[in-house]
Amino acid sequence: MKSKLCRCLSTLDLVALGVGSTLGAGVYILTGEIAKTNSGPSIIISFLIAAVMSILAGLCYAEFGVRVPLTGSAYLYSTSSVARAWSATFDELLGKRMESFLRTHLAVGVPGLAEYPDIFAVCLIIILAGLLSIGVKESTTVNKVFTAVNIFVLIIVIISGFIKGDLKNWRMTEDDLRRTMFRNQSGTGNSTWKFGAGGFMPYGFSGTIAGAATCFYAFVGFDCIATTGEEVKNPQKSIPVGIILSLLICCLAYVGVSASLTLMMPYHLLDTTSPLPVAFEYIGWNTAKYAVAVGSLCALTTSLLGSMFPMPRILLAMARDGLLFQPLAKISSRQSPMIATLVSGAVAAIMIFLFDLKDLVDLMSIGTLLTYTVVAICVVLLRYQPDPSSLDPSEQKSPCRILWVELLIHPDTTPCQRSSSLVSRTISLVVVLVCIVTVLTTAGLPCLLSGGAWCIACLVLLFLGILVASLMIWRQPQSQRKADFMVPCLPFLPIFSILVNSFLMAQLSSDIWFRYMVWMVIGKPLRLQVLFSSGTCFVKKNATCKVSLVC
């Protein structure tokens, strides 16, 4: 299908888009929140774990984007969270006057919702939605300029941290933490202590893993590259290169900034909304505090542009397939999805009113992990699907008379419907086993740590089942259709990505799961209403073996 969007993006544009949308709220805001409440100095390990898993997902995204270079991607909550982060950083420069005013005059006071609506962030969303509706080329030009400023500021932060940092901040005991806290803040010795036991892992290994689950938010930006398939000059080469380079650059930046931040300032004193300016003030570099704050506003602007970029294209793709209202599929005279851009901006503004930054980040994390899992499954299914042009008509009409055992012992040389069906059923079994493993390792963690024989035996049997199922898939013939980029070690790498993503999702709180399910329940009736009103109930198959199941 010929695209109506403007093909004007190069590989450099994609790398700038991925880096700009990723190095925003995650590096300037989230580092303080996770280090203070989840990981402490071991936030470095949390980011490394999240980076490795994101790279695995990035490999799957790269192949998926090459094989199916169309508009569309995961649902994103990052627009609202980045807008909140931008507002918090700007408010820090003003001495938190906006927060004080809004808390006093517009307090919500409803459990589970934001403490106050962020009017400034809503206005910012509206302005940038207008910019994006003008055209993609103009937006990416602004993005490249601000991304250059962002990287320059991060280099300054990393160098400053290693110059002024102190390794003692990674080895402080609980008594040291209490003394520094009461010396720098007003408090009493009788207050409840909630900052762990000190050291490099003050909250234990479980805290580091929980921090890694939230750190996935920091690597969300790269998937916006996968939504540009219809606007890239050479999507088969530019998309995988853009994804991999963006992830590598962001990984180095996150590890360097988190190390510098926890070296400059004890983790329990970090500010959760604007950690970097406060850290520079702590070490006595007050002037640098303002320079970093201004630079972080530029970075958050690129992150906001990058996070707002995919959502209109998602709405466009869904409307084009009959999943949303048809007006969202209209293209403006400047070859941009103007209506979808304005609608997505309105939805993001509503979310800013409903949730605070931490809730938006957690919602983003669970949505991202679930999307990574789905993409890994899709890559496996795509690789083992037969080419429709090579199917034998008699095979399509006749029932399967060959046992699956024979397919394992004597597999075909090329994919067929029988082998594809075997792979589909086996990957479904893998997903079920992974879910059981996740529940066992989360709910039964005390039993595993205490050396319970039945817990360990069940876990070993489950892993053995996953291994056997992976080998069954590996024995089947893969598609002969080659792509410019293909995931290595198939199917083991995607299945490992599914396993780790599911485990990290289980580390998120029950409140986050509840909020996420509420959003899904709200969206389901709307989608069914659109389907029944438009009368679209179909299954589409295109030449790339992409299956779009609707209804």
Side-chain angles (χ1 to χ4, degrees), residues 27-43:
V27 70
Y28 287 99
I29 308 295
L30 196 60
T31 48
E33 175 75 29
I34 296 177
K36 187 171 185 176
T37 61
N38 291 107
S39 304
S42 66
I43 185 177

Side-chain angles (χ1 to χ4, degrees), residues 89 132 181 224 235 338 446 506 515:
T89 302
L132 285 172
M181 183 173 186
C224 73
M338 178 180 293
R515 291 190 181 100

Side-chain angles (χ1 to χ4, degrees), residues 31 33-47 198-213 215 262 267:
T31 48
E33 175 75 29
I34 296 177
K36 187 171 185 176
T37 61
N38 291 107
S39 304
S42 66
I43 185 177
I44 299 171
I45 299 177
S46 297
F47 271 119
F200 187 72
M201 288 187 178
Y203 301 97
F205 185 70
S206 60
T208 303
I209 296 298
C215 282
T262 52
Y267 72 90

